[in-house]
Amino acid sequence: MAAIRILTGSVYGGALMSARKIKEELEVEGHKVVVLENPELVDITDNDDALLVCTSTTGEGEVPPNLLPLYVDLKDQLPQQPGRPFGIIVLGDSSYGDTFCGAGDLMEEVLFETAARKVGDTLKIDALETLEPEAEAAPWAKTWAAGL
Ligand SMILES: Cc1cc2nc3c(=O)[nH]c(=O)nc-3n(C[C@H](O)[C@H](O)[C@H](O)COP(=O)(O)O)c2cc1C
């Protein structure tokens, strides 16, 4: 069983609801899960839990305001996390074209710069195709957690 920290980024609540649903379902399976609604750098540097990013995309392919401070600190300080497992769930809307799910790419890039290790492929959830992101996110997260 794994200890998992979910780093949420959300404007309208879809990604946050998804993170809460994931916590519920993974805890049933015996994992220990913390949902961070306003994640800070210390929330990841004071432990070595697996990291699950669950964020939406805002602006033009940007990270939501509640996740931005962590993103900026990671980018500026690059605290090295060699081999630390992470996964990415990103919500977006394909009508935004080139910036579709851009926040997930930004988080992936910065986590790679810390030498963390990606587990599984990014799950991209398209608002044009689903109104219930948690229904896609939770089963994906179970498979992801099983691969840790
Ligand atoms: C102002 C605004 C800007 C957005 N920009 C993007 C974008 O650049 N790329 C993208 O894929 N989705 C974009 N979206 C779509 C959201 O990411 C999508 O609706 C998501 O499901 C919202 O999740 P949330 O409820 O957690 O905020 C944008 C939505 C809004 C309202």
Side-chain angles (χ1 to χ4, degrees):
M1 293 306 116
I4 296 161
R5 302 210 144 202
I6 308 183
L7 312 173
T8 64
S10 191
V11 176
Y12 299 106
L16 180 58
M17 262 174 35
S18 301
R20 289 183 177 147
K21 180 76 176 163
I22 290 168
K23 174 180 164 76
E24 217 176 278
E25 298 209 1
L26 292 187
E27 284 184 343
V28 169
E29 301 205 329
H31 299 292
K32 189 168 157 275
V33 183
V34 176
V35 174
L36 296 162
E37 293 188 30
N38 294 290
E40 294 177 15
L41 194 56
V42 66
D43 294 320
I44 67 173
T45 52
D46 73 357
N47 63 85
D48 59 3
D49 296 357
L51 301 175
L52 179 56
V53 175
C54 184
T55 185
S56 64
T57 305
T58 193
E60 293 178 15
E62 289 151 32
V63 170
N66 69 302
L67 184 57
L68 193 58
L70 172 63
Y71 172 74
V72 169
D73 283 351
L74 280 170
K75 192 101 194 133
D76 287 349
Q77 300 180 34
L78 291 180
Q80 291 301 290
Q81 311 288 310
R84 183 170 185 171
F86 75 93
I88 309 260
I89 296 172
V90 56
L91 281 62
D93 182 324
S94 54
S95 66
Y96 282 84
D98 284 352
T99 67
F100 177 54
C101 286
D105 297 337
L106 291 173
M107 289 302 294
E108 173 183 281
E109 183 184 281
V110 77
L111 285 165
F112 274 142
E113 285 174 12
T114 70
R117 172 176 60 91
K118 192 173 181 196
V119 174
D121 293 330
T122 296
L123 173 65
K124 295 185 176 181
I125 302 178
D126 187 350
L128 271 192
E129 292 185 351
T130 178
L131 293 174
E132 288 183 19
E134 66 276 15
E136 281 187 43
W140 181 95
K142 281 190 194 176
T143 306
W144 175 81
L148 287 172

